[in-house]
Amino acid sequence: MSTGFRGKSLSLICGALSWLRDWQEKRRQEEEQLLRPQRARADSADTAGQPDWVTAFVQEKQERDRVDRLKEEHIRRKKREDALEKIRHNVQLKYAAKRKRCEEDEAKRLLQLSKEALSQGGGEGVLDQLDHNEEELILAEYESDDEKKVVSGLEDDDDDLEEEHVTKIYYCSRTHSQLSQFVREVQKSPFGKDTRLVSLGSRQNLCVNEEVRRLGALQLINDRCMEMQKNKHEKKSDEENEGKKRRVSRTVCPFYSYEQMQFLRDEVLVEVKDIEQLVSLGRETKACPYYGSRFAIPAAQLVVLPYQMLLHEPTRNAAGIKLKDQIVIIDEAHNLIDTITCIHSAEVSGSQLCCAHSQLSQYMERYRKRLKAKNLMYIKQILYLLERFVAMLGGNVNQNPGCQAVSQTGTVLKTINDFLFQSQTDNINLFKVQRYCEKSLISRKLFGFVERYGGPASAVKINKENQKVAGLQNFLLTLQQGSDKEGTPQSPPVEAEHDQLRTASPLMQIEGFLSALTNANQDGRVIFNRQGTVGQSSLKFLLLNPAVHFAKVVEECRAVIIAGGTMQPVADFREQLLCCAGVDPARIVEFSCGHVIPPENILPLILCSGPSNQELEFTYQTRDLPQMMDETGRILCNLCNVIPGGVVCFFPSYEYEKQVYGHWEKTGLLSRLSAKKKIFQEPKKANQVEQVLVEYAKCIKRCSQTGGQMTGALLLSVVGGKMSEGINFSDDLGRCVIMVGMPYPNIRSPELQEKMTWLDKTMPRAGGQAPSRVLIENLCMKAVNQSIGRAIRHQQDFASIVLLDHRYARPAIFNKLPQWIRERTQVKPAFGSAFAELRKVRTRHILCPATNTVPHCPCLDLFQAFPLE
């Protein structure tokens, strides 16, 4: 589905919730009809011949079972709805629950004080000559490769508490901010009062435990959370054995309380809340919002989540998301294929491989006598894999990767099987290694070990027992020096190094690469990227067939809606994603609607030549020519003379934007542009984008209020950059959007070449074009459509869109523009006629509403004062 108006998401969800409400009402009526006492159903049987007594018995039993099942479901649903209604209207229950929490907190505090008083009387025991806090770094015994249950018993508890999932809608979007905005729209809609909605997110967004949040990196937060859960269950078993030797106390999460999370679950279902409100509620109730929201999934009617959580099967299963016969809406899905590819691809550098090998070797030596045989076996397998992977990059794990030069640089692609054979790792079962890493939490244990002994900020006493550990510290320091040798010779502060160690956990990244290698041989490639040194080189898994991971979603769901404001061209979704996932073409329905703005509020122009009649064709061969850059500058000068407010100009890349900017500085074009518009450049760093946008908006507002020669601002942006997606240049922020050239992807990229080869082998030709050629054009036009859609953001908005390249007029390219833009686009062979159209549109939109005349303004004399450049 492709739509082009601001209320797209709300229109989608209102339609979906209306269907859900009608479907639930219809089902309720059918249940009531079945549950009513009825006559014998003999009348409905075949009158020609009565069934024998066995058939009659089976039919009656099936009917009774069905009625019993419906009764149970009806009772369960009624009970749940009554409980939620009671919570919704009974404020006293909330106060009672809050008072009970306070009493429990006080009791826990007193109990802790008693334990501390008792512990002061006796000395703490030393466990096997290990430090007090070091015991938790030891890997637990790994029972069996085939063991399905976790020893902690957490899964058993979850099975007992499992609730039946009602029919629901899963609404996915790209970012948490978009989801929060969507939830606020639902709150204002007619469905806001009686819809059971739950917002899901990552631990990074929902965790309220400050100790865990401080870890920063998502993987570290995940592992620490899982470990604290395990500690909670082990603590229970320890308390049952008071007579035995006391173990070292382990940290548990105070927010992981089942009773409090149940209370939070009910609060979430009673009233619609976004992520921020959910976190606030978690802090108030001292309950974990991450798990509390997951408990609410079965009873929820609308589940809001980032689409990475839905598209990644392990994450989906861990969250308790069940897609069977449910509705899935994927909004902002213009880059859905790229997202699936990125989620299931992985890359590791030579430095990470060597660092992980060193850390794991030191860990094994330190705790060899404490580790069980199964743990040692898997650790040695992982070490062997790391050793062979580094060898494939042309290095040695026992040497500093920053100092090992690579003899043969370049990029090589291999199939998964070829990579495993050449690296001599084909005899290792990667599925078992992956499961071991997941269940043993080895990356978390290793991170704790490095955090304790690897950082300069940690005080390490060098004695006979931990002398070998000093080697790890020295190795990490050499890695740091090796990576910084191109920079300043001064070493960074101790705190900065320690922060780097806290965020760097190479084994976590390597686990993702090992998991990627378990894909089918034909669905991916392994890329060797050999650079100057082993440390700079990398191994990357590239997923070629995203449909294999999307297939399960479309197989299980009742319906999948893929929606976006700029989805054209849609052929990629149909061919690469849906048909390859086994979807019957008859099931695929395409729907596209127009924009809510009147036709006169948008003027799209394809400009074939500039003011000096220079043909506009920004190919890799011609775009660097001085005359092309001069012509681009003359076009912008003329447009900025007549267009008030903000003008946004998109370039194909940061490098080209920088090159053109430098050329304009030398020729004086930049100073002529600056006389009419203050010039802003899109920064490469994400944390600087907000500041640039604020200054850009302030400048436009100031110019519109004060008048004068300066009429606004010009923002030089990059296609695919920070400002081409998710930023709204509405009203005066974007009265004109200019696209310089066609942003084709780098066809020399080995990854893109492999993707093109794979498509040509697996996909049929479409309209006489090779699939690889279609891919290149589609990638280009998706980026164009996403960028030019930034200007029109509401019904009263108006703007011009100028495409600077005659190739846009070619039918194959022209037809890939969004329909609402394509229908209004004019092709202008000469610049003069295009300029006249822009001036007419500008005059039309500044007419005084009262007198229908043009009010006097100094800006109106611009055309006479500044003739065509």
Side-chain angles (χ1 to χ4, degrees), residues 101 255 260 263-264 267 280-288:
R101 286 197 303 274
F255 297 92
Q260 294 308 119
F263 176 78
L264 184 139
E267 287 292 309
S280 299
L281 179 64
R283 289 197 176 102
E284 180 188 340
T285 60
K286 294 189 177 179
C288 176

Side-chain angles (χ1 to χ4, degrees), residues 382-437:
I382 296 171
L383 288 172
Y384 176 74
L385 288 169
L386 298 175
E387 181 183 339
R388 296 309 307 161
F389 292 168
V390 172
M392 293 297 287
L393 293 175
N396 188 324
V397 290
N398 296 317
Q399 298 177 17
N400 189 336
C403 301
Q404 297 183 67
V406 175
S407 57
Q408 295 181 342
T409 59
T411 303
V412 180
L413 286 89
K414 300 283 184 184
T415 65
I416 300 174
N417 288 346
D418 287 346
F419 171 72
L420 296 177
F421 286 135
Q422 290 185 21
S423 62
Q424 301 174 12
T425 57
D426 55 297
N427 59 333
I428 293 180
N429 189 327
L430 293 178
F431 291 94
K432 289 187 176 182
V433 173
Q434 178 192 1
R435 179 172 175 79
Y436 171 76
C437 292

Side-chain angles (χ1 to χ4, degrees), residues 694-734:
V694 168
E695 293 299 322
Y696 172 75
K698 283 182 179 177
C699 177
I700 293 171
K701 185 176 181 180
R702 186 169 59 250
C703 291
S704 66
Q705 292 174 346
T706 60
Q709 189 177 4
M710 186 79 71
T711 61
L714 170 64
L715 178 60
L716 305 180
S717 301
V718 176
V719 176
K722 313 293 185 302
M723 297 181 182
S724 63
E725 292 188 34
I727 304 295
N728 294 337
F729 294 107
S730 59
D731 300 318
D732 280 346
L733 295 180

